[in-house]
């Protein structure tokens, strides 16, 4: 029996036309490890992956009704998550000693994120795996706040 694709991810230019397929928790680890070792040529050290669950219903026209952004900064050992669906846009709640205005990049686009939203990378990994395991639901292993 062949495993079905659980999610699709875009985090390098090459993935814009052909997203990375995610089947297992090991695939999530590979994606995050790839992000840790990818350095943005545009200044910010953190990089992002845009992840969509293939197990959720799609909107008219085939568009996804949600988005999980997974951000990592291999230099600091922290990362960030944002989640969007019909209930709104949310970012993780980090400790007050994390950066006030972290900037990450998705492919070639810089993205400013809300203040104090960075969390340890091991929690980023756990939340991304939970997203895959629950068929694209907002992870409950992290605390969320409205993104803006």
């Amino acid at each position: 029996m062949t495993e079905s694709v659980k999610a699709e991810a875009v985090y390098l230019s090459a993935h814009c036309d052909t997203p990375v397929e995610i089947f297992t928790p090991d695939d999530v680890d590979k994606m995050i490890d790839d992000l840790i070792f990818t350095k943005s040529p545009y200044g910010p050290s953190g990089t992002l992956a845009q992840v969509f669950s293939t197990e959720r219903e799609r909107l008219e026209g085939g568009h996804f009704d949600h988005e999980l952004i997974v951000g990592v900064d291999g230099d600091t050992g922290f990362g960030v998550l944002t989640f969007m669906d019909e209930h709104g846009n949310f970012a993780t709640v980090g400790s007050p000693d994390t950066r006030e205005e972290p900037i990450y990049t998705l492919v070639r686009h810089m993205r400013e994120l809300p203040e104090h939203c960075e969390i340890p990378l091991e929690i980023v990994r756990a939340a991304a795996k939970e997203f895959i395991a629950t068929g694209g639901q907002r992870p409950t292993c992290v605390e969320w706040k409205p993104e803006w």
Side-chain angles (χ1 to χ4, degrees), residues 41-63:
Y42 303 100
S45 58
T47 56
L48 300 169
Q50 186 177 38
V51 186
F52 303 100
S53 173
T54 57
E55 298 186 306
R56 287 178 64 141
E57 292 292 322
R58 296 210 186 185
L59 299 172
E60 209 172 297
H63 299 284

Side-chain angles (χ1 to χ4, degrees), residues 63 73 87 97:
H63 299 284
D73 186 333
H87 300 292
D97 60 342

Side-chain angles (χ1 to χ4, degrees), residues 11-101:
Y11 54 93
L12 297 174
S13 296
H15 304 150
C16 292
D17 292 328
T18 308
V20 171
E21 295 179 335
I22 297 175
F23 297 89
T24 68
D26 288 341
D27 294 335
V28 172
D29 282 331
K30 182 183 180 332
M31 175 187 73
I32 290 173
D33 290 343
D34 286 350
L35 287 169
I36 288 170
F37 295 107
T38 299
K39 297 298 179 193
S40 170
Y42 303 100
S45 58
T47 56
L48 300 169
Q50 186 177 38
V51 186
F52 303 100
S53 173
T54 57
E55 298 186 306
R56 287 178 64 141
E57 292 292 322
R58 296 210 186 185
L59 299 172
E60 209 172 297
H63 299 284
F64 290 101
D65 70 342
H66 68 286
E67 170 188 77
L68 178 72
I69 296 289
V70 177
V72 303
D73 186 333
D75 294 336
T76 66
F78 283 85
V80 63
L81 298 165
T82 67
F83 182 83
M84 178 276 302
D85 68 2
E86 72 275 9
H87 300 292
N89 294 14
F90 303 91
T92 44
V93 174
S95 72
D97 60 342
T98 58
R99 293 184 284 187
E100 286 188 28
E101 294 180 352

Side-chain angles (χ1 to χ4, degrees), residues 1-6 21 23:
M1 184 171 152
T2 304
E3 266 188 292
S4 62
V5 176
K6 303 275 186 195
E21 295 179 335
F23 297 89

